[in-house]
Amino acid sequence: MCETTVHCLEVTNVQNFETFQHPIVLLKGKVSNRCADAKLQVFSKQHQSISYSATIEDGVKRDSPGPVNFRVLLRLNVGQNDIDLVYCVGTKSLTLRYTAPSNRYTVVPLYIICAGHTGHYQSYDTDKENDCVNACRKITLSIELLQCLYAEKLHENGFGRKTFCIGSSCVPFSSSLELERSTTMTEGELWQHFASELVQCREYDLKRVKIVAFLSSTRFEGISDGDYSYENIRKKTTGHAALGGGGLALFGTGCLYTWPTTLEAVCDAFSSQRPVDCDILLDDSNYRRTYGGCYATTLGSVCHEMGHTFDLGHTPDSSIMGTGLDGIDCVFVGSRAAAGPKRLIETRPYGPSGKLTQLKRPGDVFRERLESKCNDGIFFALNSAVTLNHHRWFNYNVDNPDDNGSAMLHYAQSTRTITSTDSPIVLVELRLTSNGMMEKFWTFPRAKCPTSFTIPKLPTFVDRTLFAMNAVGCTLKIDLSSIN
């Protein structure tokens, strides 16, 4: 413990006495001087059990004076939380409140088990806890982390900490699909099958529930030919998916072995440099080949594909709906090494909304502005943030009169005009139909949102989809090439 050094703690992203509607919160801040041996700790003044994960960024050498950044992931108890952040002899007191939200529109995570499968996900040989129970714990925790991430990123865009409501913890879902049959299906076929099965089972009202599902039987057969390219890895993997749209986002579990089961382990999981044994275990890390890289890339993929279920298209930048998914660990543990090569977006459509695989490096103004504002470089582009801000899944206690979004928005082909009844238009986008890439968009000042908007005349509407949203979350999607 230091006797002469002063350690002043400052929290930069959260105000004292703030109220949250999601249980896991992210605290970002600075310590005036680094201590060689100290760890950042969190204590409850109410002597409540408290779960957290903390990290100090490697901005300076351990024995060098000077300010350093920290991040804390903290699980709040319902009601008032009086806490102390303690670093060596420095203390910062905060009072934070958590109010459990109520929303008719929810997200529900599921762990899909095919007929004939045990429910054990593929893992390393010494892992004796790769069963259904621990899989559901991992999934629930990570969806809660994404709930926190969405809230933080909307806050950084100036919309407050809006986020989706989790309807329940992850539970198993027994599918009628035979395991052997599932191994021969593409990810698009798997998505279509489980989407149909979920509709037919009628257990979930898919007008008000988005399903985030994970397939237990993902299997990587291993590499024996020395070819560790991503293309070869995918060829040797069955039961894999990373696809989202409509009411379902579907994922494989090939890298679930790298996901933590407790909040206390999250920062270590993201920071883990443990090498992946690529001969026997799936490596989906964008060529980082570490456990931390796999966790970051696969959780980033979940974040991205969930965005599609919230009506987000692709964006030509390094945002979450662009190339930013591999670096999602930066949100939780701060700066770290590069996340591998940039992705590109294919021009072929995959499934309901296009599949992120490759994207050229952009130079757009929004990325540069937001990266300078947000010190982790992870963000939603403006059009994505506007969509989420008005989306029904992100607005609690709002009585939306109409569940059919197209009923309040209309498009007149002859005049290229969109009209909205009883609510102003907040966003209009033109997307490429082939891959869901945003090509142009229009947003409006809050006080001047129109009730009608005419799309400027373009040389062609071939391969163009119109997306529009009004202030109460009603949406309109039209394939313009099919009507022009």
Side-chain angles (χ1 to χ4, degrees), residues 16-261:
N16 202 15
F17 300 108
E18 266 199 56
T19 297
F20 298 83
Q21 292 189 303
H22 50 95
I24 295 178
V25 299
L26 174 67
L27 307 180
K28 297 190 289 188
K30 298 179 180 179
V31 178
S32 58
N33 289 288
R34 183 157 195 167
C35 178
D37 300 315
K39 293 183 179 180
L40 185 63
Q41 296 177 287
V42 183
F43 297 97
S44 169
K45 291 183 177 179
Q46 297 144 315
H47 305 291
Q48 294 176 314
S49 175
I50 194 163
S51 299
Y52 71 94
S53 186
T55 183
I56 298 289
E57 293 185 46
D58 295 326
V60 297
K61 295 180 180 179
R62 292 187 62 86
D63 56 352
S64 299
V68 290
N69 297 323
F70 68 80
R71 301 200 177 209
V72 178
L73 284 163
L74 173 68
R75 184 180 293 279
L76 299 179
N77 295 301
V78 174
Q80 182 168 308
N81 295 256
D82 299 315
I83 62 171
D84 283 333
L85 303 180
V86 178
Y87 183 80
C88 192
V89 294
T91 300
K92 173 69 175 180
S93 296
L94 282 175
T95 295
L96 306 175
R97 296 186 178 95
Y98 168 46
T99 302
S102 175
N103 194 349
R104 294 192 303 160
Y105 302 92
T106 62
V107 171
V108 173
L110 296 179
Y111 187 60
I112 297 179
I113 303 174
C114 288
H117 191 253
T118 65
H120 287 73
Y121 59 88
Q122 188 175 20
S123 187
Y124 46 89
D125 290 340
T126 57
D127 185 1
K128 305 303 181 184
E129 297 183 341
N130 61 328
D131 57 11
C132 178
V133 172
N134 280 290
C136 287
R137 290 179 65 196
K138 290 169 180 269
I139 292 166
T140 298
L141 171 62
S142 289
I143 299 302
E144 288 179 325
L145 291 175
L146 293 183
Q147 186 185 41
C148 171
L149 181 147
Y150 270 81
E152 203 64 26
K153 294 306 158 185
L154 279 179
H155 175 69
E156 290 171 1
N157 272 277
F159 295 125
R161 286 189 170 87
K162 292 185 177 181
T163 191
F164 57 87
C165 181
I166 300 174
S168 67
S169 298
C170 181
V171 294
F173 178 86
S174 297
S175 172
S176 61
L177 181 64
E178 293 288 340
L179 172 62
E180 186 175 351
R181 169 72 179 117
S182 73
T183 64
T184 67
M185 298 169 71
T186 66
E187 64 177 349
E189 291 170 337
L190 289 167
W191 188 96
Q192 292 289 349
H193 175 88
F194 293 125
S196 298
E197 191 170 21
L198 286 164
V199 169
Q200 293 168 8
C201 81
R202 299 185 179 180
E203 187 174 347
Y204 302 98
D205 179 2
L206 297 185
K207 289 183 178 180
R208 292 192 174 97
V209 175
K210 303 287 188 185
I211 301 293
V212 186
F214 297 79
L215 184 57
S216 70
S217 52
T218 305
R219 187 73 186 177
F220 175 60
E221 68 179 56
I223 299 294
S224 58
D225 56 7
D227 181 1
Y228 297 101
S229 66
Y230 183 68
E231 291 74 17
N232 194 44
I233 289 172
R234 283 297 303 272
K235 288 178 183 178
K236 297 178 182 298
T237 307
T238 58
H240 175 80
L243 200 60
L248 172 65
L250 178 67
F251 305 94
T253 54
C255 287
L256 202 61
Y257 68 92
T258 67
W259 289 28
T261 56

Side-chain angles (χ1 to χ4, degrees), residues 358-377:
Q358 295 185 319
L359 180 72
K360 65 180 182 179
R361 187 176 181 87
D364 69 295
V365 174
F366 291 132
R367 177 185 61 81
E368 294 173 355
R369 177 175 65 85
L370 283 166
E371 283 190 346
S372 65
K373 176 183 177 182
C374 310
N375 59 17
D376 55 41

Side-chain angles (χ1 to χ4, degrees), residues 363-475:
D364 69 295
V365 174
F366 291 132
R367 177 185 61 81
E368 294 173 355
R369 177 175 65 85
L370 283 166
E371 283 190 346
S372 65
K373 176 183 177 182
C374 310
N375 59 17
D376 55 41
I378 307 301
F379 63 96
F380 282 110
L382 177 60
N383 58 311
S384 299
V386 169
T387 301
L388 295 174
N389 179 49
H390 294 280
H391 204 280
R392 290 174 177 172
W393 265 258
F394 284 71
N395 286 281
Y396 301 149
N397 302 316
V398 175
D399 185 18
N400 294 299
D402 179 37
D403 285 321
N404 184 0
S406 62
M408 294 184 68
L409 283 162
H410 306 275
Y411 175 68
Q413 176 184 350
S414 59
T415 60
R416 308 184 312 281
T417 299
I418 307 152
T419 58
S420 174
T421 57
D422 302 324
S423 179
I425 297 169
V426 295
L427 174 72
V428 176
E429 284 187 39
L430 285 179
R431 301 174 181 175
L432 296 179
T433 306
S434 57
N435 61 11
M437 175 64 72
M438 183 275 295
E439 186 179 40
K440 296 177 182 290
F441 74 90
W442 297 265
T443 59
F444 312 96
R446 184 174 300 178
K448 298 181 180 180
C449 291
T451 56
S452 67
F453 178 79
T454 300
I455 303 173
K457 192 168 184 178
L458 300 176
T460 179
F461 282 117
V462 174
D463 192 32
R464 300 297 188 279
T465 291
L466 167 68
F467 174 81
M469 173 177 265
N470 65 19
V472 296
C474 294
T475 60

